[in-house]
């Protein structure tokens, strides 16, 4: 299930990568659209064809009308930007538009293409999302990606950035922009999911190219304390920066969402005034040596709550919603602590706790049992290190971690 807003983001990302077959082959958008009737056609090529057809449908019925007329703009903007790889200055010049007008028309064109593709979505995949019922007050937005399981590993950030830069190089060259990499050879490894990190960096490159006004995009990195900092700098286009908050969603929405899922932080630093200087995109990633808190709960909202509660500690939160994944992931990640919900589907928390305690690779990991039932004695008898009765507060959680000597000095509750 996916909502309309996230579907539009996927369409934009698919168009951005329309000449990148590797990215299209694994793009999540293909899962929501009808499969190809030709089994010889790859997933990436099928998605590319669907995107191109949708763009071509924006051509006005009267092909003899003037191509400088308003009705041609949506088609010409999308074809020029994504199919032909024209730069924004070239598009503005060709269509005689200001930067603000170009972004406004670009946003409308993207929504039109997304609507055409939305009508083709599979009922079993998008189904009830088409009702577009607004969330209840206080309900957190679900963008359809919560089910994606993150697999963190120790990664060489410079190596990943160089790989993505290689993918992006052709698009940058088409806009006469140089990607200048200044990556130290001995950066500390970062803890992240490789696929997601690649997509975040690709999104940041796309955004930098979208707003640039100069000839160079500079990429750098460095270590600061427990974080490894990745930076992208580019000169800002004055007109585009002036309208950046008024029109369509940008690749930064993708970067912000997935950065949070990775336990990283992201910020954009714009110059004081549009066109007055450099824009800087900063991604702060945890070092690979940072401790992990494995949160076992079948509710995504609970995992988000724990992530918020532990945001100011030295622990990186990783969530697991499937009971049968807890033991293998605990073996792989060797977390500093596990919080365990009792009411899990298919296998309750007591059985999971017993499995953890009888496995030589995980029996040393402290487990905090979290339950609506007040049964601390049972939890301790099965080997739990601590017990917390739901609803759990940040204060009670941090106190439990302090008893286990797992919170660092100077950490504080909200």
């Amino acid at each position: 299930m996916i909502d309309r807003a996230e579907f539009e983001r996927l369409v934009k990302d698919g168009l951005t990568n329309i000449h990148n077959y590797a990215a299209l082959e694994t793009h999540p958008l293909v899962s929501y659209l009808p499969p190809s009737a030709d089994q010889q056609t790859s997933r990436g090529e099928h998605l590319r064809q669907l995107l191109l057809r949708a763009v071509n449908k924006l051509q006005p019925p009267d092909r003899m009308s003037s191509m400088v007329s308003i009705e041609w703009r949506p088609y010409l903007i999308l074809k020029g930007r994504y199919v032909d790889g024209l730069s924004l200055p070239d598009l503005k010049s060709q269509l005689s538009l200001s930067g603000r007008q170009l972004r406004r028309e670009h946003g409308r064109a993207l929504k039109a293409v997304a609507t055409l593709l939305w009508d083709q979505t599979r009922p079993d995949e998008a189904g009830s999302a088409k009702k577009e019922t607004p969330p209840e007050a206080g309900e957190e937005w679900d963008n359809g990606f919560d089910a994606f399981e993150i697999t963190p590993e120790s990664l060489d950030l410079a190596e990943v950035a160089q790989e993505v830069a290689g993918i992006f190089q052709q698009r940058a060259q088409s806009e006469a922009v140089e990607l200048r990499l200044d990556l130290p050879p001995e950066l500390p490894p970062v803890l992240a999911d490789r696929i997601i990190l690649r997509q975040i960096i690709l999104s940041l490159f796309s955004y930098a190219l979208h707003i640039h006004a100069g000839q160079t995009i500079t990429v750098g990195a460095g270590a600061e304390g427990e974080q490894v900092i990745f930076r992208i700098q580019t000169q800002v286009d004055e007109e585009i920066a002036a309208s950046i908050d008024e029109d369509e969603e940008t690749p930064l929405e993708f970067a912000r969402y997935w950065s949070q899922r990775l336990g990283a932080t992201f910020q954009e630093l714009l110059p004081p005034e549009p066109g007055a200087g450099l824009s800087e995109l900063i991604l702060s990633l945890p070092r690979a040596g940072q401790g992990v808190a494995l949160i076992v709960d079948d509710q995504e909202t609970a995992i988000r709550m724990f992530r918020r509660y532990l945001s100011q500690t030295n622990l990186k939160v990783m969530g697991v919603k499937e009971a049968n994944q807890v033991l293998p992931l605990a073996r792989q990640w060797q977390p500093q602590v596990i919080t365990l919900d009792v009411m899990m589907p298919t296998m309750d928390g007591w059985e999971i706790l017993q499995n953890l305690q009888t496995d030589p690779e995980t029996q040393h990991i402290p487990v905090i049992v979290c339950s609506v039932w007040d049964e601390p004695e049972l939890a301790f008898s099965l080997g739990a290190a601590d017990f917390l009765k739901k609803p759990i507060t940040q204060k009670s959680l941090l106190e439990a971690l302090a008893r286990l000597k797992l919170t660092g000095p100077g950490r504080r509750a909200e």
Side-chain angles (χ1 to χ4, degrees):
M1 183 182 297
I2 186 171
D3 73 359
R4 183 64 172 267
E6 183 56 34
F7 186 80
E8 290 179 2
R9 291 187 184 91
L10 290 181
V11 170
K12 184 175 187 296
D13 188 69
L15 286 169
T16 300
N17 291 285
I18 201 164
H19 296 300
N20 183 351
Y21 285 89
L24 293 183
E25 195 68 29
T26 58
H27 201 282
L29 181 62
V30 77
S31 301
Y32 299 103
L33 296 170
S36 173
D38 183 1
Q39 295 185 352
Q40 301 302 314
T41 302
S42 69
R43 286 165 53 95
E45 176 57 28
H46 176 56
L47 178 56
R48 184 175 182 273
Q49 292 174 5
L50 291 174
L51 290 167
L52 287 174
R53 287 181 199 137
V55 170
N56 287 334
K57 284 182 180 180
L58 296 184
Q59 294 185 74
D62 182 5
R63 304 295 174 85
M64 300 301 293
S65 63
S66 173
M67 294 186 68
V68 298
S69 60
I70 293 177
E71 58 266 27
W72 275 91
R73 283 182 187 172
Y75 169 72
L76 293 176
I77 287 173
L78 294 190
K79 181 178 183 296
R81 181 66 173 157
Y82 299 110
V83 181
D84 300 335
L86 296 179
S87 67
L88 291 171
D90 286 344
L91 270 177
K92 287 191 294 183
S93 175
Q94 281 190 13
L95 300 176
S96 300
L97 298 173
S98 68
R100 186 182 298 272
Q101 286 176 314
L102 178 60
R103 282 184 55 82
R104 184 175 295 111
E105 295 291 342
H106 180 243
R108 291 171 179 167
L110 283 173
K111 286 184 179 294
V113 166
T115 297
L116 291 170
L117 292 171
W118 178 259
D119 291 338
Q120 302 178 43
T121 52
R122 305 183 200 176
D124 58 328
E125 296 289 349
S128 59
K130 291 188 178 183
K131 298 177 183 177
E132 295 190 83
T133 53
E136 299 293 331
E139 181 182 350
E140 294 194 50
W141 174 63
D142 179 5
N143 61 11
F145 282 144
D146 287 338
F148 188 94
E149 293 296 337
I150 295 175
T151 304
E153 57 182 313
S154 178
L155 298 172
D156 183 331
L157 177 60
E159 180 180 294
V160 174
Q162 287 165 351
E163 291 173 354
V164 178
I167 294 172
F168 199 75
Q169 194 69 43
Q170 184 175 355
R171 185 175 166 209
Q173 289 174 352
S174 71
E175 300 202 20
V177 173
E178 176 192 1
L179 279 182
R180 184 174 298 167
L181 304 183
D182 182 16
L183 301 168
E186 297 183 358
L187 278 175
V190 299
L191 185 66
D193 183 294
R194 183 174 178 273
I195 299 300
I196 293 176
L197 181 57
R198 282 168 57 92
Q199 291 301 318
I200 290 176
I201 294 175
L202 190 59
S203 295
L204 297 183
F205 281 161
S206 295
Y207 180 76
L209 195 62
H210 187 60
I211 66 172
H212 85 284
Q215 285 73 49
T216 304
I217 294 176
T218 304
V219 181
E224 295 182 11
E226 293 299 317
Q227 302 289 308
V228 179
I229 312 301
F230 178 78
R231 289 186 174 88
I232 296 179
Q233 291 182 327
T234 186
Q235 192 76 26
V236 180
D237 180 289
E238 181 174 356
E239 290 184 328
I240 290 179
S243 60
I244 200 73
D245 293 325
E246 299 180 10
D247 302 307
E248 93 278 1
E249 299 285 353
T250 73
L252 294 193
E253 296 303 316
F254 179 94
R256 287 191 181 97
Y257 173 78
W258 282 111
S259 295
Q260 183 180 27
R261 290 287 303 274
L262 285 181
T265 58
F266 170 76
Q267 61 178 320
E268 177 190 17
L269 299 180
L270 288 169
E273 297 179 4
L278 292 175
S279 168
E280 189 169 21
L281 309 175
I282 303 174
L283 179 66
S284 301
L285 295 151
R287 287 195 184 202
Q290 185 178 7
V292 170
L294 185 61
I295 309 302
V296 181
D297 200 298
D298 64 320
Q299 299 297 317
E300 178 65 29
T301 53
I303 295 174
R304 291 175 185 167
M305 178 190 73
F306 276 95
R307 184 172 286 118
R308 186 170 65 251
Y309 283 178
L310 298 177
S311 62
Q312 297 184 42
T313 72
N314 54 357
L315 294 171
K316 175 179 172 56
V317 171
M318 303 304 300
V320 179
K321 293 187 286 187
E322 300 295 333
N324 60 2
Q325 295 180 352
V326 177
L327 185 59
L329 289 179
R331 288 171 177 162
Q332 177 186 345
W333 296 344
Q334 289 296 303
Q336 273 56 54
V337 65
I338 297 173
T339 70
L340 179 59
D341 181 34
V342 171
M343 302 299 290
M344 297 281 291
T346 69
M347 183 189 304
D348 65 32
W350 305 123
E351 187 175 357
I352 297 173
L353 179 57
Q354 288 178 306
N355 290 342
L356 290 168
Q357 288 298 302
T358 55
D359 190 294
E361 295 183 50
T362 60
Q363 60 187 195
H364 64 285
I365 302 171
V367 177
I368 302 175
V369 171
C370 306
S371 175
V372 295
W373 309 108
D374 194 8
E375 295 179 319
E377 292 82 6
L378 177 58
F380 289 128
S381 71
L382 293 175
D386 212 326
F387 177 89
L388 294 176
K389 188 176 185 302
K390 290 187 173 182
I392 295 169
T393 65
Q394 185 184 41
K395 182 174 182 293
S396 65
L397 176 62
L398 294 180
E399 287 175 347
L401 293 175
R403 289 193 291 271
L404 296 173
K405 298 181 173 21
L406 292 174
T407 49
R411 310 298 176 180
R412 61 180 180 83
E414 295 176 341

